[in-house]
Amino acid sequence: MIEVRNKKDCCGCYACYNICPKECITMKIDNEGFWYPNIDKNECINCNLCEKVCPIINPVKRVDSKKIAYASMNKDEQVRMKSSSGGIFSILAEYIIKNNGVVYGAGFDEDFNIKHKRILYSTDLDLLRGSKYVQSSIGDIYKQVKNDLENNNPVLFTGTPCQVEGLRSYLRKEYVNLITMDFICHGVPSPLVWEKYLKKMKKSKQENIKNIYFRNKDIGWKLFSLKIIFDKRIYSNDLNNDLFMKGFLQDVYLRPSCYNCKFKKINRISDITVADFWGIENILPKMDDDKGTSLIVIHSEKGKQLFDKLSETMIINEVDLNEAIKYNSSMIRSVKYNEKRNSFFAELNSGKELTDLIRIYTKISFEKRVKNKIKSIIKRLIR
Ligand SMILES: Cc1cc2nc3c(=O)[nH]c(=O)nc-3n(C[C@H](O)[C@H](O)[C@H](O)COP(=O)(O)OP(=O)(O)OC[C@H]3O[C@@H](n4cnc5c(N)ncnc54)[C@H](O)[C@@H]3O)c2cc1C
Ligand code: SF4
Ligand code: SF4
Ligand code: SF4
């Protein structure tokens, strides 16, 4: 029976929850807003399936494969502008749906919490398009994926690397009709912090929220903004000035497992990895128009066949993967633990106001600013 002794050893993928034959696992939310399995010991039959499918305890076996990497953009400019980077997710999703398939990914619920959803129509793809920088809840989605696969539907499952590994571990066999797409993952912020942030925004504007875009490109892809559409007004602030994004990017409130991530590696279990192609201006300047370029890494023969079939719909150029990840270390390395994280949550739980706290906890000292500046000059010189 699974027992999470140290929170950093559970990524919250829901594989244990989905596999339990007695349905005696509930996912309990802790005081930081992250979910962990909780077992009703009276119902448990000690079958140990939950431990077997946990991708942290039993990582899925992977075969070494040749990696091919591309810089890539969706030729449909409107779709690219609505997407976080080059709009490649939309190309894969449209293809699966045209072939009577099903697409799974993260979307908002009616209260703007983030949840995985099952999509059957291309008109609903807007619900999944665009990154949401909060942990997405899987619920019983792996069971639904299995059902679709057993019914021979083509399935595209998209999610964080740990969710893709959680699904593959839960399925415990290969399906020819399954394509998985993960991304280079910085880490996932706390759903509790997100909920409190939205509450504060609604209170200050005294209006309801109609829609949210984490990666609005009105002022460019590299300096993207968080945009919130209220009934009458619009809030928009770039990644360096919006408080929620500042706390996220300074790693104040990521899930504990994200500081010691077991899924950041080059050799992945997914068919395709997508990412923002940071550094494209240095590697392939002709592919940089500041509207979004994706880095694509192909891991499997299935992924390669699909990508080749769809390459007509993209502008692509093959690149050196090692060169590309110099600008995107989250492919292989976890972020450093933020030493102020525990006191941030302690103060949050003692009732302190969220935005005041983020302001305090993201203030960079003069010494640190000088250090960062020197570091970035040295980095530029040795590149
Ligand atoms: C939490 C998070 C952290 C990321 N960190 C990095 C990073 O460090 N470096 C980097 O280069 N790229 C990162 N990305 C990926 C990047 O933001 C783009 O999602 C990616 O480049 C794909 O863009 P696209 O234009 O092809 O498609 P888009 O339409 O933008 O992609 C949307 C896809 O992302 C999925 N998705 C959105 N939010 C979530 C979520 N919360 N959980 C699971 N799946 C989600 C959707 O299901 C959909 O499949 C991150 C994304 C997320 C969600
Ligand atoms: S040991 Fe089996 S029955 Fe018990 S919680 Fe795990 S999966 Fe469920
Ligand atoms: S299967 Fe996933 S949710 Fe369950 S304990 Fe393991 S990492 Fe946590
Ligand atoms: S950083 Fe690792 S553990 Fe955290 S969400 Fe991403 S893949 Fe999962």
Side-chain angles (χ1 to χ4, degrees), residues 304-319:
K304 168 102 178 67
Q305 280 174 12
L306 179 62
F307 190 77
D308 287 349
K309 208 179 278 175
L310 299 172
S311 59
E312 285 288 290
T313 56
M314 311 172 204
I315 301 166
I316 49 169
N317 270 291
E318 197 170 333
V319 292

Side-chain angles (χ1 to χ4, degrees), residues 255-297:
R255 187 172 176 105
S257 57
C258 301
Y259 301 94
N260 182 27
C261 173
K262 303 282 190 268
F263 309 94
K264 287 180 195 284
K265 49 188 105 180
I266 290 185
N267 199 16
R268 296 184 179 207
I269 205 76
S270 60
D271 296 299
I272 299 176
T273 297
V274 291
D276 288 286
F277 205 136
W278 302 132
I280 189 71
E281 65 281 15
N282 303 319
I283 294 178
L284 257 177
K286 66 174 182 189
M287 296 256 324
D288 176 27
D289 59 3
D290 204 22
K291 291 180 185 166
T293 310
S294 292
L295 168 65
I296 310 282
V297 188

